[in-house]
Amino acid sequence: MNPVLQTDTERIVIEPVTRVEGHGKVTIHRDAEGRVAQARLHIVEFRGFERFIQGRPYWEMPVAVQRLCGICPVSHHLCAAKAVDLLVGGESLTPTAEKIRRLMHYGQFFQSHALHFFHLASPDLLFGFDADPVDRNVLGVAAAHPELARQGILMRKWGQEIIQATAGKKVHGTGAIPGGVNRSLTREERDTLRAPVSHMLTWAREALELARGYTLENLPDVGHFGDFESNYLALVRADGAMDIYDGELRAIDPRGEILLQEPDSQRYLDVIAEEVRPWSYMKFPYLKPLGPEEGWYRVGPLARVNACDFIDTPEAEEARQEFKGLAGGGPVHHTMAYHWARMIELLHCAEVIQRLLDDDDLLGAELRTEGPRRRREGVGILEAPRGTLFHHYRVGDDDLVTRCNLIVSTTSNNEGMNRSVTQVAKQRMEGVDRITEGMMNEVEVAIRAYDPCLSCATHALGQMPLIVELVDEGGDVLDRRARSGGS
Amino acid sequence: MSDRVSFTIDGTRVEAFRSQSIMDAAMESGVYIPRLCHVPGLDPWGSCRVCTVKVNGRFSTACTQPAMTGLTVENDTEELNDLRRDLVEMLFVGGNHFCMSCEKSGNCELQAMGYRLGITAPLHPYLHPDRDVDASHPDIMLDHNRCILCARCVRTSRDLDGKQVFDFVNRGSDRRIAIDPGARLKDSDADVTDRALDACPVGALLRKREGFRVPVGEREYDHVAIGEEDGVDPVSDLWDES
């Protein structure tokens, strides 16, 4: 479809979309009557990881591909490690390796969720969507709610310290290697991380209460804000419990019925396919059995809390049950409920980290499992903070990667974010004479609920069609250059 | 005639045998002269130029310049370190050195030299040369992207391993390490136990499947700058083991 506006439409551009990771823009076209004709989230940055890691050795993948992101590199690090585990006969890790990786992952979830809630989302929730942008930012939060801002910073710090202890660095570490990890914890390191656990649990409870209270108090407004029914995809443990490190792919329909559950991660391509649309660098994944029209789905905290049967930590499980009560036990579809679900996960992570830090396996010396090399191909799947993440590598006889496919969490929310943008634009901008900054921020608020990582989501190179058009003030196309897909 | 000579490096008197180079004399005396291609026990090569010093006011490579009585050697000066910074920077931009995903990171002499000389980002433009990776050998990988043409593998294979697996082909900017013309590593008698693999200062010549096993914090240069490793040269054990 031609992405350029018609001559008699008004074009509203929000660029850049702020307080998200990466670079994107929103375009909204209104016709002469002020009706929203089209609204889209465009991802304007351009990466290339799937292409340029070809020809690199497979053991480089966990360290190289994590550079996709600066906020959730641990997800890519571990997902790549899970994929290459299979190349070295490391299907079953030692208890120490498995728990060190889990600790790293839950630590990352904790810091990423804290970052999003306190630094990126809280200004909207605390001050209102249309508050003065001078105050509606993290510095405004620090001035008006200093204790909350302090907690947010210290929670992130704790998560980062967990990552550093397990991966060697707070950002872009090297802890996970094919078949295991390269270090465990010393008793001193473990005790240092354990010391602030009770504070973290308390603050996570308070953050959960803030998100819960906000959602319930504002349900008449936020309940219809960028809101729609959808399918959901998430990993669950074989017994149906929430599990963010490993499990089976489960998709549910808008009523909560299980559409599919695939226990073999290597068969993900039987479940997921991706559609390319010419106006975005981000693909549109869908459930293969349902096709692109019906099979689009959402991922992330809302999907995980909706899709699991239970959470195996007591406080988070209690919170999940109350959350599900919003929809009578079925899936909660409110886009703004992502925040509440995210804070349930924040508390769950604190509970799991507490449990892990009491486990002496973290201090073990058996770090690596390696059997005879059995495969030329490996798929790793885990839940990143923003949703289900897929890493798929094919390797030649010489150990070099010949093909890579990454389906990144934010990509799976592409359809959902676009629908939310469209809906908010229609709700707030149709028929009004003047577009205010607050209205534009409301569109961003809907996007922010998903906590998108636009850097992660635009990892492909050489496959996307590219269209550049020169448009005059009236909207007439003066010149057009197009490159077809696959070039 | 005495077989001992005496000269100064940055004003400090240094004694040496007549047959020694300025570099060897400095190393024995505990004076650090930055270097990349030089390894004790191997014939000097003089290709990296990082050990450039001023000898009686003239530029010379310390690894190839014989020690002689009465020499006045300048080493740790702003002028020379600026020159070295340029040389090392050109090694970076002339290859494809992506430290962030290189398994040699933290143990890499080029990276450590960059840190020592205060290189935060190159001022010269990247050349992004099109180079290949020879992973044909079951246990060894040669990544030409990271090679700095120091010839340490050439000399170690020849002089310590007794094999002559590596040599140079082509000239100028096309110069590169090769096995035999048209041959790949799998066609050579290179073995995973060869000391040539340990001689590589960068991540060009590697044992396969061992990357990243040493955690961050325990790597050679995680806590110590190159040249300050308690007086122990990081690669001198190449010779000791022989």
Side-chain angles (χ1 to χ4, degrees), chain A residues 52-237:
Chain A
F52 65 64
I53 57 98
Q54 287 179 17
R56 301 305 312 168
Y58 69 78
W59 56 89
E60 241 177 48
M61 293 306 104
V63 175
V65 179
Q66 67 175 334
R67 294 277 171 171
L68 271 166
C69 187
I71 293 181
C72 60
V74 169
S75 300
H76 294 289
H77 181 56
L78 292 176
C79 201
K82 287 181 71 176
V84 297
D85 284 345
L86 304 174
L87 306 178
V88 300
E91 283 88 348
S92 180
L93 302 185
T94 66
T96 296
E98 162 103 13
K99 287 170 186 173
I100 287 285
R101 283 193 187 181
R102 279 187 179 271
L103 181 62
M104 192 193 306
H105 194 40
Y106 281 88
Q108 182 219 210
F109 248 72
F110 191 81
Q111 70 85 19
S112 178
H113 278 3
L115 165 74
H116 179 262
F117 187 70
F118 290 98
H119 297 194
L120 306 183
S122 73
D124 298 320
L125 310 186
L126 293 170
F127 300 126
F129 302 166
D130 56 354
D132 187 341
V134 171
D135 300 319
R136 199 185 61 217
N137 54 56
V138 69
L139 295 177
V141 174
H145 306 273
E147 182 56 23
L148 195 68
R150 181 176 160 273
Q151 288 173 8
I153 290 167
L154 292 176
M155 290 166 89
R156 258 210 97 200
K157 178 171 179 278
W158 188 56
Q160 297 280 43
E161 284 168 348
I162 290 171
I163 296 168
Q164 183 173 31
T166 50
K169 292 163 67 182
K170 288 178 179 171
V171 183
H172 299 139
T174 65
I177 57 175
V181 294
N182 64 16
R183 61 165 306 171
S184 56
L185 295 189
T186 64
R187 194 168 295 278
E188 293 71 30
E189 287 170 331
R190 194 267 303 269
D191 293 346
T192 301
L193 293 176
R194 197 158 51 178
V197 163
S198 62
H199 282 305
M200 298 301 156
L201 279 165
T202 301
W203 294 343
R205 287 181 199 114
E206 290 172 6
L208 170 61
E209 180 51 33
L210 186 60
R212 172 190 164 278
Y214 172 84
T215 310
L216 294 177
E217 284 168 25
N218 294 280
L219 206 53
D221 287 331
V222 303
H224 305 290
F225 187 84
D227 201 22
F228 44 82
E229 292 190 346
S230 68
N231 304 312
Y232 295 95
L233 182 80
L235 282 185
V236 295
R237 215 164 59 190

